[in-house]
């Protein structure tokens, strides 16, 4: 682990830099596959499923029978855990519903804002080493609460053409309407253009590797909205002498096991704690099944000592972590003043794992410093705010003159006329 | 105007298509300028201001003296109109503030969501034929309410290096913190990377021509968020026999004068109205100073007759207009069931001009069918929703088992350990 003592503010922008990724090779591949899916539809989907996932698919859509039998393939214990998580996620996202906002800005001029569901959404669930049914919960539950009519999900099958039963069970439980055995670039392209089988959607959600990340960029250039740009997962812990070094180490490791490119940082005002945490990390690391992955991330990780809490806070706001754990005697100071973080975990008994799975908050969060400008996925991600206005004949008399003057000053005579005609109507 | 009777649903996707724009040439230019601004900063800004805007700038930032003297250069009438508009826009956006949402999802597990301001935002105000001070109101007012610390504005100067006084007056009135005489691609690049003079921002807002549109795409690939993808402005009017053909024609023309590529559509269930509106359009068109521009948009416009209100509604939802005016005996039917529109204007005395300037709603809205997935600019556009959680020792006992089971099933042992260690703590 890299220990850094008293870094001066002029070095922070370098200290906060994420590894840059170059995508030139990937872009050509993505472009090619998008073009083929757009012109050849399902035929291209099947071709690339064979090419990338080594599977020969005759039917892309998951059948009702496959979903039904998934229920019997997972343990009652896991089903109950998923149901508990779903209930908490449901309650937290349901609480985010907002009422219509209506005001009469001037007498006779009534304006309101209402949120309406995005009608068709696409959820992408990556395959690979871990079956991420937790991500199904995080995306499908708020989509359902929002009232999205069509909730399409794509996830790559294994070599036998099967999808992990926990993913199928969770998708069914959360109200996914259509499920496809398609992964990677071809899945994103399919939901962008639509094929004979896969519906075109209006917004695509979900994490993925660099191929999926670039594919989502292409999707957004082809008229489809995306949840946010993706990047390697991140955790920054601020801890002082009131924290438990064992817990802190376990949190850093839970981030490190995600991938070799995971970003792991400890900031502290206590030098002893810094050393204690380091020692604990190496002790716990030895026991992990994903040790090889975690080791690489830990080698790149940073343990940063700063002299004051204010300094710590400023550095953390400059970094803008995806996940921010704070274990401090002055936790309120950090909680009140943190400006840039995806999700904040407070106190010794609040591990990041809680938010990853079951506390109720969403785990789809902005990485790579995007917490400075992006929200994590929340209920509003599945809704559009629309405005409405209704003006009476009295109302247009009250604001009409101002509109005429402004339209004239902007040189837009027809805008003015639309008001003048109404003002002159007896 | 193109009259279309009873278009069948299978033709709607063609009918709703916007003209495609190809940007290949533009992309190379944007790429080059971004590269130069990134490496050479202000020097590149000054070079391109000379190249594109034909102006030799020594100082990029607008001075306090220039702002002060702008006040004396515009009429009291215009100042009062701007103040009235500001007051309505302020009140409507202030009403959009949301409270902290907090729930205890399980005993001992408290989750909340709070919105915090994006610290640094950049507003782009185009130059060209019309001095769009109304767009300053629409962007700076909500930015200020949100609490953005740095509100940077860029707008191109005229050949004498001057900015229209109405723009300067409005910027000062609305609390813009820093103002620069920079336009086009170089302005967007400057706010993306930062220069010695122009601050780097976290999110860029505002309309622009195709160069600005592509530049904003590049900005978003370089880590800066943007408000939404831009495109030519659009108006769709649904009107029946209870509408006033003069008013409808004036609304269509106010859209048409924006630009030759403006999208203008009337949908009606009444054939007589269709003809009456057409006649009125040509009558009013002759009187417009921007007749030449409006004529082109009107030539491309569509007057569509359909047999039922349901058919009309379905077609409108398929199109997803930026602005939607409804003048109908059954206005509630359309207002309740419209799914895809940026902003809705209801009744005979609610011209689009009202929302463009002074009623209180925002005029920065999704075009090109993006109303299916994007909100128009609103208070939340300047905020991030962040989540927080605090779990007690009792709380982790309540959800810890579920987290362990789920982490194990996803093959993430370190995630499980972070919980197990806490569950075992006496």
């Amino acid at each position: 682990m890299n220990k850094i003592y008293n870094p001066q503010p002029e070095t922070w922008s370098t200290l906060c830099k994420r590894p840059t990724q170059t995508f030139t090779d990937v872009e050509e591949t993505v472009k090619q596959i998008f073009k083929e899916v757009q012109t050849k539809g399902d035929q291209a989907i099947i071709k690339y499923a064979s090419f990338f996932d080594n599977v020969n698919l005759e039917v892309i859509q998951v059948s009702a029978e496959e979903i039904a039998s998934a229920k019997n393939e997972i343990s009652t214990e896991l089903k109950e855990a998923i149901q508990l998580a779903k209930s908490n996620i449901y309650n937290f996202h349901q609480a985010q519903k907002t009422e219509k906002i209506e005001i009469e800005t001037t007498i006779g001029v009534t304006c309101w804002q209402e949120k309406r569901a995005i009608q068709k959404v696409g959820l992408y669930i990556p395959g690979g080493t871990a079956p991420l049914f937790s991500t199904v919960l995080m995306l499908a539950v708020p989509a359902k609460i929002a009232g999205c009519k069509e909730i399409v999900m794509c996830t790559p099958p294994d070599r036998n053409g099967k999808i992990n039963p926990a993913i199928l069970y969770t998708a069914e439980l959360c109200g996914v309407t259509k499920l496809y055995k398609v992964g990677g670039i071809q899945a994103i392209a399919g939901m962008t253009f639509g094929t004979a089988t896969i519906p075109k959607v209006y917004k695509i959600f979900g994490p993925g590797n660099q191929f999926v990340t670039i594919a989502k960029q292409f999707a957004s250039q082809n008229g489809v909205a995306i949840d946010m740009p993706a990047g390697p997962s991140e955790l920054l812990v601020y801890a002082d002498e009131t924290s438990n070094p064992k817990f802190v180490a376990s949190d850093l490791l839970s981030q490190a096991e995600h991938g070799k490119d995971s970003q792991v940082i400890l900031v502290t005002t206590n030098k002893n704690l810094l050393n204690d945490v380091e020692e604990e990390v190496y002790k716990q690391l030895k026991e992990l099944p994903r040790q090889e992955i975690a080791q690489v991330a830990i080698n790149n990780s940073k343990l940063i000592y700063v002299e004051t809490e204010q300094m710590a806070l400023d550095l953390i706001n400059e970094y803008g972590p995806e996940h921010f754990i704070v274990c401090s005697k002055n936790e309120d100071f950090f909680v009140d003043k943190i400006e840039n973080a995806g999700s904040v975990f407070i106190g010794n008994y609040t591990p990041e794992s809680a938010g990853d799975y079951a506390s109720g908050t969403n785990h789809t969060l902005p990485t790579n410093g995007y917490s400075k400008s992006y929200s994590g996925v929340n209920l509003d991600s599945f809704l559009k705010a629309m405005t409405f206005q209704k003006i009476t004949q009295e109302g247009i008399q009250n604001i009409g003159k101002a509109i005429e003057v402004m339209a004239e000053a902007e040189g837009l005579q027809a805008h003015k006329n639309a008001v003048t005609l109404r003002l002159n109507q007896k």
Side-chain angles (χ1 to χ4, degrees), chain A:
Chain A
M1 306 181 88
N2 305 294
K3 294 192 224 174
I4 299 145
Y5 293 89
N6 275 322
Q8 292 308 296
E10 55 273 21
T11 67
W12 288 1
S13 72
T14 312
L15 197 60
C16 291
K17 225 173 214 151
R18 276 72 164 181
T20 38
Q21 303 173 286
T22 47
F23 287 138
T24 326
D25 301 355
V26 179
E27 271 185 18
E28 270 314 302
T29 311
V30 174
K31 203 171 182 174
Q32 173 61 25
I33 297 175
F34 262 62
K35 208 170 150 187
E36 266 188 72
V37 171
Q38 185 173 23
T39 51
K40 296 185 184 160
D42 287 336
Q43 193 191 327
I45 299 275
I46 287 167
K47 170 182 162 187
Y48 285 106
S50 161
F51 188 77
F52 287 117
D53 298 326
N54 240 316
V55 59
N56 289 311
L57 291 175
E58 285 176 13
V59 182
I60 299 173
Q61 190 166 0
V62 178
S63 69
E65 293 71 41
E66 286 173 283
I67 294 171
S69 77
K71 265 183 218 167
N72 307 320
E73 291 174 47
I74 61 172
S75 69
T76 307
E77 194 181 37
L78 181 55
K79 276 189 262 192
E80 284 172 2
I82 291 171
Q83 284 160 17
L84 173 75
K86 188 200 163 195
S87 161
N88 285 348
I89 295 163
Y90 182 89
N91 290 335
F92 186 59
H93 288 77
Q94 173 73 19
Q96 293 167 24
K97 275 203 168 177
T98 44
E99 295 297 313
K100 170 176 165 177
I101 292 158
E102 180 172 320
I103 61 164
E104 196 175 15
T105 54
T106 298
I107 292 171
V109 180
T110 306
C111 300
W112 67 99
Q113 185 201 57
E114 278 181 56
K115 290 178 184 161
R116 299 199 175 173
I118 298 173
Q119 295 297 302
K120 300 178 189 182
V121 296
L123 317 183
Y124 183 72
I125 307 297
T129 50
L132 298 181
F133 56 85
S134 60
T135 303
V136 181
L137 286 167
M138 297 297 173
L139 300 178
V141 169
K144 191 77 187 169
I145 297 171
C148 304
K149 268 188 207 151
E150 193 139 44
I151 305 173
V152 174
M153 201 180 102
C154 287
T155 191
D158 65 18
R159 289 184 186 192
N160 303 315
K162 280 202 67 176
I163 291 174
N164 184 290
I167 290 184
L168 292 185
Y169 170 77
T170 310
E172 161 83 353
L173 183 73
C174 300
V176 168
T177 52
K178 279 174 183 160
L179 243 157
Y180 300 93
K181 301 178 187 178
V182 184
I185 306 167
Q186 63 271 25
I188 306 297
M191 294 192 284
T192 298
F193 300 118
T195 70
T197 313
I198 305 171
K200 175 179 168 51
V201 302
Y202 301 151
K203 188 169 183 178
I204 296 175
F205 295 79
N209 59 17
Q210 55 173 340
F211 291 94
V212 173
T213 301
I214 297 294
K216 281 171 70 185
Q217 269 184 23
F218 266 70
S220 73
Q221 284 164 32
N222 281 282
V224 176
I226 61 169
D227 51 354
M228 68 188 84
S233 193
E234 306 165 348
L235 170 66
L236 186 148
V237 180
Y238 174 81
D240 64 18
E241 58 281 7
T242 62
S243 72
N244 182 327
K246 267 191 207 174
F247 296 174
V248 173
S250 73
D251 292 327
L252 296 175
L253 285 167
S254 75
Q255 189 57 42
E257 79 172 339
H258 268 301
K260 293 180 179 177
D261 53 4
S262 281
Q263 306 290 303
V264 177
I265 298 179
L266 171 69
V267 176
T268 183
T269 42
N270 186 304
K271 285 184 191 168
N272 292 335
L273 182 82
L274 189 148
N275 293 322
D276 292 349
V277 168
E278 186 183 29
E279 198 177 304
E280 266 294 331
V281 164
Y282 287 115
K283 206 185 283 178
Q284 293 180 28
L285 178 62
K286 278 186 257 158
E287 308 297 323
L288 292 181
R290 291 167 73 97
Q291 188 186 342
E292 196 209 343
I293 290 170
Q295 181 73 62
V296 179
I298 287 296
N299 289 347
N300 296 325
S301 69
K302 292 168 187 153
L303 306 175
I304 304 174
Y305 167 82
V306 291
E307 285 190 337
T308 66
E309 290 176 336
Q310 183 64 50
M311 204 77 139
L313 177 76
D314 292 345
L315 175 60
I316 296 162
N317 274 328
E318 170 94 12
Y319 182 73
E322 180 192 15
H323 304 97
F324 172 40
I325 296 182
V326 52
C327 298
S328 163
K329 57 185 180 298
N330 291 323
E331 64 183 31
D332 287 349
F333 169 78
F334 289 96
V335 171
D336 292 347
K337 293 189 190 291
I338 182 77
E339 298 289 354
N340 304 319
S343 195
V344 183
F345 300 76
I346 304 155
N348 282 320
Y349 288 91
T350 315
E352 192 208 301
S353 305
D356 287 341
Y357 289 109
S359 60
T361 59
N362 209 292
H363 79 198
T364 310
L365 296 167
T367 57
N368 204 22
Y370 280 109
S371 66
K372 291 174 181 171
S373 53
Y374 280 83
S375 308
V377 165
N378 59 75
L379 184 63
D380 279 348
S381 311
F382 297 88
L383 298 162
K384 300 116 30 184
M386 287 164 60
T387 52
F388 298 81
Q389 60 200 288
K390 190 170 181 177
I391 303 178
T392 63
Q393 200 167 1
E394 185 193 358
I396 199 71
Q397 294 290 341
N398 289 333
I399 62 168
K401 180 73 187 162
I403 301 170
E404 288 181 317
V405 170
M406 292 172 77
E408 175 111 38
E410 288 193 352
L412 297 173
Q413 189 66 35
H415 282 66
K416 183 182 175 185
N417 283 359
V419 172
T420 308
L421 282 174
R422 285 159 165 107
L423 288 178
N424 294 340
Q425 183 76 14
K426 296 300 160 205

